[in-house]
Amino acid sequence: MEFEDIYKTYWDRIFRLCMGFVNDYDAAQDLSQETFIIVWQKLETFRNESSIGTWIFRIASNNCLRQIEKQKRFPKSELPIHLSEEKTYSIEPQIQFLYKCIAELPETDRIIISLELEDIKQSEIAKILGLSEANTRVKIHRIKEKLTQKFKENGQQ
Amino acid sequence: MDNNNIDFKDLWKKQTITQPNMEDLITRLKQFKKTALHSLWITNILLFATCIFIIVIWYFYQPEFISTKIGIVLMVSAMVIYLVVYNRLLRTYKNIDATQTNQEYLQKLILIKRKQQFLQSKILSLYFVLLGIGICLYMYEYTSRMSVFYGITSYVVLLIWMGIAWFYLRPKEIRKHEGKLNNLIAKFEEVNNQLIS
């Protein structure tokens, strides 16, 4: 697969994963770009041992985990741009609420549920995280319950 | 449905997304490469220039005493060791394989951070010791040509300065790094434990 095709096919999915992780539009944009930079650098080393999707999602989720470090170094700056741009991104409150809830979960749960919502097979999710399939299934179930609970409490149904 | 009819998948996919132009990404890529190199080069160039400077002095001023020569060698090796370790650490950190599973990746991050923590305090101490001994030996030839009074004064001033560096600057520097690293390691471990539980 050519880089350009990968970029076009996966940008949206990677962006949503990052957005679920940080719930901040600009940060998610940055994280997605970084992911594709790594993909671009590493594409030569990709062998068809796993599907390209699994491979890319691994890079993306690892990159999300790594930004924990950057987060500490650069506390979210209150740039005035964010304020003016916020309106452009404002979407249905339910969608915003979903992303907010996900970003509040423990880090690895954010990744798991994002991948699940992206319709990735549970066996693939297990391979991305490095978990057993059974464990993954249990985790997904628990996270969904947690989210449903939050939606109920918030009267978002 | 197990989640009481809330269609999370549908909501999830409704997120507005703007796919940036690929050109932007390429520009970013170039910038990224530049800044990464930048931080690496500043330390390298500074220390490397100091080494050259010391060697040039050796060449032009032809020290007579063996102590001076040993001093120079010690100072230069202190800087070279620091440079090598610093560069290697940075390289391993940059090159962690991002295509591993999250679990392997987290463990790698923790391992590298631990190594960094160990090296930083040990290497920094070694750097100060070598540099200190080096300077003392180096100065001997020149102070021996001074009067006793000035010779002793020079050493006293030097030792005071080294005392400050050893007892104040060094621990401060180590503490600064350790605090940051400890927090980070703790956080990575916490995330890793989420996977185990």
Side-chain angles (χ1 to χ4, degrees):
Chain A
M1 233 176 158
E2 288 295 315
F3 179 72
E4 213 178 323
D5 299 329
I6 294 175
Y7 184 77
K8 285 190 179 133
T9 321
Y10 284 96
W11 174 272
D12 292 8
R13 312 183 75 189
I14 297 299
F15 178 81
R16 283 192 291 260
L17 173 77
C18 299
M19 188 67 184
F21 199 87
V22 288
N23 193 29
D24 176 305
Y25 201 92
D26 294 320
Q29 198 89 359
D30 282 352
L31 280 171
S32 314
Q33 288 207 350
E34 278 165 24
T35 303
F36 281 98
I37 288 173
I38 302 172
V39 169
W40 190 76
Q41 288 169 331
K42 296 257 175 173
L43 197 55
E44 283 176 5
T45 66
F46 173 71
R47 287 177 297 263
N48 292 306
E49 290 157 359
S50 57
S51 79
I52 185 101
T54 308
W55 189 76
I56 292 172
F57 279 115
R58 268 188 188 171
I59 295 179
S61 49
N62 282 335
N63 192 45
C64 283
L65 291 172
R66 192 167 191 165
Q67 68 86 47
I68 292 171
E69 179 180 16
K70 291 179 202 152
Q71 215 172 25
K72 298 224 152 153
R73 244 186 296 158
F74 314 105
K76 270 180 199 155
S77 54
E78 286 91 33
L79 290 172
I81 317 160
H82 286 252
L83 294 173
S84 59
E85 282 186 18
E86 206 160 334
K87 272 185 189 144
T88 342
Y89 306 137
S90 78
I91 34 172
E92 277 180 55
Q94 262 203 324
I95 304 173
Q96 276 185 345
F97 188 68
L98 174 67
Y99 278 83
K100 184 176 159 271
C101 289
I102 292 178
E104 282 165 4
L105 294 167
E107 285 81 359
T108 54
D109 286 358
R110 297 179 211 167
I111 295 172
I112 296 172
I113 190 67
S114 302
L115 294 171
E116 161 71 12
L117 295 179
E118 273 308 320
D119 273 325
I120 291 167
K121 273 188 264 158
Q122 296 192 349
S123 60
E124 293 291 301
I125 298 179
K127 272 188 209 158
I128 293 166
L129 274 290
L131 293 170
S132 72
E133 275 183 51
N135 200 346
T136 310
R137 203 165 27 245
V138 173
K139 277 182 187 282
I140 291 174
H141 184 73
R142 272 195 219 141
I143 300 166
K144 276 189 175 164
E145 266 179 356
K146 238 192 262 178
L147 284 180
T148 311
Q149 190 60 34
K150 279 195 180 180
F151 266 68
K152 272 186 191 161
E153 280 165 14
N154 201 281
Q156 288 276 2
Q157 270 196 76
Chain B
M1 251 171 96
D2 63 341
N3 48 22
N4 296 347
N5 298 325
I6 308 169
D7 193 346
F8 289 129
K9 280 187 185 171
D10 182 55
L11 281 178
W12 173 254
K13 285 184 180 148
K14 276 193 192 150
Q15 174 68 252
T16 30
I17 296 171
T18 40
Q19 191 175 70
N21 206 314
M22 247 197 27
E23 305 293 305
D24 291 348
L25 188 71
I26 303 295
T27 338
R28 191 80 206 255
L29 191 70
K30 284 176 188 152
Q31 251 175 10
F32 169 84
K33 275 189 176 163
K34 239 188 256 165
T35 47
L37 283 175
H38 196 66
S39 62
L40 189 69
W41 280 109
I42 287 182
T43 320
N44 275 353
I45 288 173
L46 275 178
L47 285 180
F48 188 68
T50 317
C51 288
I52 296 290
F53 179 72
I54 294 172
I55 291 166
V56 165
I57 288 179
W58 186 343
Y59 184 77
F60 281 106
Y61 291 92
Q62 293 291 336
E64 288 161 17
F65 291 13
I66 183 77
S67 58
T68 318
K69 289 171 190 166
I70 295 173
I72 291 173
V73 169
L74 284 180
M75 285 192 280
V76 172
S77 33
M79 285 183 252
V80 169
I81 290 172
Y82 189 85
L83 268 182
V84 169
V85 172
Y86 175 82
N87 283 330
R88 277 187 48 189
L89 204 67
L90 221 64
R91 201 156 359 108
T92 43
Y93 189 56
K94 281 225 165 72
N95 294 342
I96 309 177
D97 181 9
T99 65
Q100 308 172 82
T101 66
N102 293 162
Q103 197 162 23
E104 288 164 341
Y105 189 81
L106 279 166
Q107 275 155 9
K108 240 333 177 350
L109 277 179
I110 294 169
L111 194 78
I112 289 178
K113 288 288 159 194
R114 285 239 176 84
K115 212 191 249 176
Q116 190 178 351
Q117 194 179 32
F118 172 80
L119 280 177
Q120 250 164 11
S121 52
K122 295 285 173 285
I123 292 297
L124 205 65
S125 301
L126 181 70
Y127 177 75
F128 272 107
V129 168
L130 284 179
L131 204 66
I133 298 173
I135 293 173
C136 284
L137 288 172
Y138 178 79
M139 273 178 42
Y140 181 69
E141 180 172 341
Y142 306 102
T143 43
S144 67
R145 291 183 197 147
M146 297 174 183
S147 68
V148 179
F149 175 73
Y150 282 114
I152 289 173
T153 314
S154 312
Y155 268 102
V156 167
V157 171
L158 177 71
L159 288 176
I160 289 175
W161 163 240
M162 286 199 307
I164 294 173
W166 180 262
F167 292 108
Y168 180 70
L169 293 180
R170 186 187 60 103
K172 201 176 139 197
E173 192 69 8
I174 290 177
R175 259 203 311 277
K176 200 177 84 189
H177 287 298
E178 291 231 308
K180 254 193 269 173
L181 275 175
N182 283 339
N183 284 339
L184 203 59
I185 291 172
K187 181 70 202 172
F188 282 141
E189 266 168 356
E190 182 202 311
V191 177
N192 193 39
N193 287 336
Q194 292 167 9
L195 286 174
I196 297 162
S197 66

